[in-house]
Amino acid sequence: MVIVLVLTAAAFGTGASWLGHRLVHQGKAPDPGPAVGTAVGAVASFFIFTVAFLTVTATNSINTARHDAYVEAGALTDLYLAAGTLPDPARTDLQRMTRDYTEGVIVREWPKLREGHTEPRTREAAYALGARVDQELAGAPAHTATDLHDAMRAVLAGRRARNAAASEGVPRILILTLVGTAFLTVLFLVLMGWPRGRRGSVGIGVVSGLFAFGIWLVMQLNHPFGAGVHVDPTPIREALAHMNGVAPLR
């Protein structure tokens, strides 16, 4: 995909340069001098700086979201284990509700995160789980009540952090700015007739390809849950496997 995109952009830049020289300049335009190179360098520097800034920012968001997913998974596992110290029927109810909520996060809610939304059914399950934990705090032993309270608070905190990350992403206006900057830079080079010759046309093609790659890279990182490089629910799946006894606790 990226190869096709870069080659298409390079072919567009090369073709536009050749066509511009052929139809507009026809080799008669005077040399515009170093001012054109200076102007193009300034625009290109803005493009490169913006791509670098967005790439670093998006990478940090992805790393933070991945870390938060593991913290949330650990909190779910802690809640399940803490519920196991309660007598029945509280133990059975709380552990079942924890498993159901964890499965809902994986199956129903995670796909919605890619769109920047939460899932109402899973959201209500989180509130119901918190209310059920609160009911058991008064009658539970002190150490169990502390474990339940801390684990449930951590689960809700992890959920809030995940939902906040789902609303992040590179603003569309910045993506459009990058596309517009790249297009105008290539167009400016073509209209000014600089540089000339085959090597000049190939150079414009290379610049166009690099611009396209930069935009593609930003798009691959522009959302922690929905871009090409994104956070998947693997930590939550591991927590559910622990609850179901499929995988040992780490």
Side-chain angles (χ1 to χ4, degrees), residues 81-180:
L81 294 176
T85 62
L86 294 172
D88 279 327
R91 176 178 63 227
T92 301
D93 288 345
L94 267 179
Q95 289 189 332
R96 174 186 55 78
M97 292 178 70
T98 304
R99 283 196 305 269
D100 291 345
Y101 170 71
T102 305
E103 184 175 0
V105 169
I106 299 170
V107 176
R108 295 189 302 271
E109 191 161 52
W110 213 273
K112 292 291 185 180
L113 297 177
R114 299 169 187 167
E115 305 171 3
H117 304 301
T118 59
E119 199 273 323
R121 181 177 171 186
T122 309
R123 182 178 63 247
E124 294 302 323
Y127 296 149
L129 180 60
R132 189 69 175 83
V133 168
D134 289 340
Q135 290 179 6
E136 300 300 328
L137 293 181
H143 67 280
T144 300
T146 300
D147 291 344
L148 286 172
H149 177 273
D150 292 346
M152 190 66 231
R153 299 290 81 77
V155 168
L156 295 178
R159 177 180 177 80
R160 286 191 293 269
R162 173 163 48 81
N163 291 339
S167 63
E168 295 179 357
V170 178
R172 182 168 298 181
I173 186 63
L174 288 182
I175 299 296
L176 295 177
T177 299
L178 288 178
V179 175

Side-chain angles (χ1 to χ4, degrees), residues 197-219:
R198 291 183 178 179
R199 285 191 299 178
S201 297
V202 172
I204 294 179
V206 172
V207 170
S208 300
L210 290 175
F211 281 168
F213 177 77
I215 295 171
W216 174 85
L217 181 61
V218 172
M219 293 297 295

